Amino acid sequence: MIEYIRGELTEITPAMAVVEAAGVGYALSISLNTFSAIQGKKEVKLFVHEAIVTGGRDDSYTLYGFVSREERELYRLLITVSGVGANTARMILSSLTPAELCGVIAGGDERTLKGVKGIGLKTAQRIIVDLKDKVSNSELAFQVPGLDHAPADDIDKEVRNEAVGALTMLGFSPAPSAKVVNEVMRAQPGLPVEQVVKLALKQIK
């Protein structure tokens, strides 16, 4: 089993990184979160998840690379959920950082999860039900920066959902909108929804 690969980053796209180690170039599927973290670096260390599919004409061996153990652990948790495959799990980790995903699951925020491409309401609910206790009781809740000092339960969910809904109606994607709204509400608790939306509009990209 491969734990991690450390070497020269020879190629990179938003979906794949090629790392050369000991003369071998390893192609690893990555999330946008990992892409952002390693883009521009010459030497990288990626934690690996190996996926082997056998039993048919299209046997495959795929390596997934993650910038941190926490992101890999979340990926492994996600693919245990019925209806969440490898590509869907990677899409979730491309839309939300590990800290945001932990907050979303721990806070039961199905709206934000449903905003990820390919995730319907039932799948979002299943992810929360299946993983809420695992995320809350695991070391992830303490190792992922940002979650320990800003739990999702401290945020007024009704105001947050209304603000995200308003931004979505204005044409912004749900996941980035939720991220900015959470930041605004953590920085200035108690704001009415219209003020949250106004401040979010100044920050959202």
Side-chain angles (χ1 to χ4, degrees):
M1 178 181 290
I2 302 174
E3 172 65 13
Y4 63 82
I5 294 174
R6 187 202 302 271
E8 180 185 357
L9 182 63
T10 59
E11 296 179 38
I12 186 171
T13 71
M16 179 171 289
V18 177
V19 180
E20 183 176 335
V24 178
Y26 296 91
L28 301 103
S29 296
I30 60 174
S31 67
L32 284 176
N33 177 66
T34 290
F35 171 77
S36 298
I38 66 175
Q39 188 179 22
K41 293 187 176 180
K42 293 183 178 180
E43 298 285 330
V44 297
K45 176 181 178 181
L46 294 180
F47 294 90
V48 174
H49 173 79
E50 300 172 79
I52 303 173
V53 178
T54 60
R57 291 183 179 180
D58 301 321
D59 290 359
S60 65
Y61 176 54
T62 305
L63 298 179
Y64 292 87
F66 304 92
V67 72
S68 66
R69 283 192 177 92
E70 291 74 32
E71 186 185 24
R72 182 179 64 181
E73 179 62 21
L74 281 170
Y75 175 85
R76 287 174 170 173
L77 287 174
L78 285 168
I79 61 176
T80 66
V81 178
S82 176
V84 178
N87 288 333
T88 301
R90 186 166 59 153
M91 180 66 71
I92 294 171
L93 289 168
S94 293
S95 302
L96 300 164
T97 67
E100 290 165 351
L101 180 56
C102 281
V104 164
I105 293 172
D109 185 2
E110 62 189 38
R111 188 188 186 98
T112 297
L113 269 180
K114 193 164 68 73
V116 177
K117 184 179 180 181
I119 299 295
L121 178 59
K122 289 184 178 180
T123 302
Q125 292 172 337
R126 194 178 300 120
I127 291 171
I128 290 169
V129 170
D130 288 0
L131 302 185
K132 187 171 184 177
D133 289 343
K134 294 179 181 179
V135 168
S136 300
N137 296 329
S138 73
E139 294 181 0
L140 284 170
F142 302 96
Q143 292 180 359
V144 177
L147 181 63
D148 52 344
H149 60 76
D153 288 342
D154 285 350
I155 293 176
D156 187 319
K157 293 180 182 178
E158 184 175 351
V159 171
R160 177 185 58 194
N161 291 342
E162 289 183 14
V164 173
L167 290 167
T168 301
M169 291 180 65
L170 290 172
F172 296 98
S173 298
S177 298
K179 177 181 178 181
V180 174
V181 167
N182 286 342
E183 291 174 351
V184 169
M185 295 184 68
R186 285 168 181 150
Q188 300 185 56
L191 288 177
V193 64
E194 61 271 20
Q195 288 297 322
V196 173
V197 172
K198 286 181 180 179
L199 290 173
L201 285 171
K202 295 179 181 180
Q203 299 179 31
I204 199 167
K205 296 179 181 179

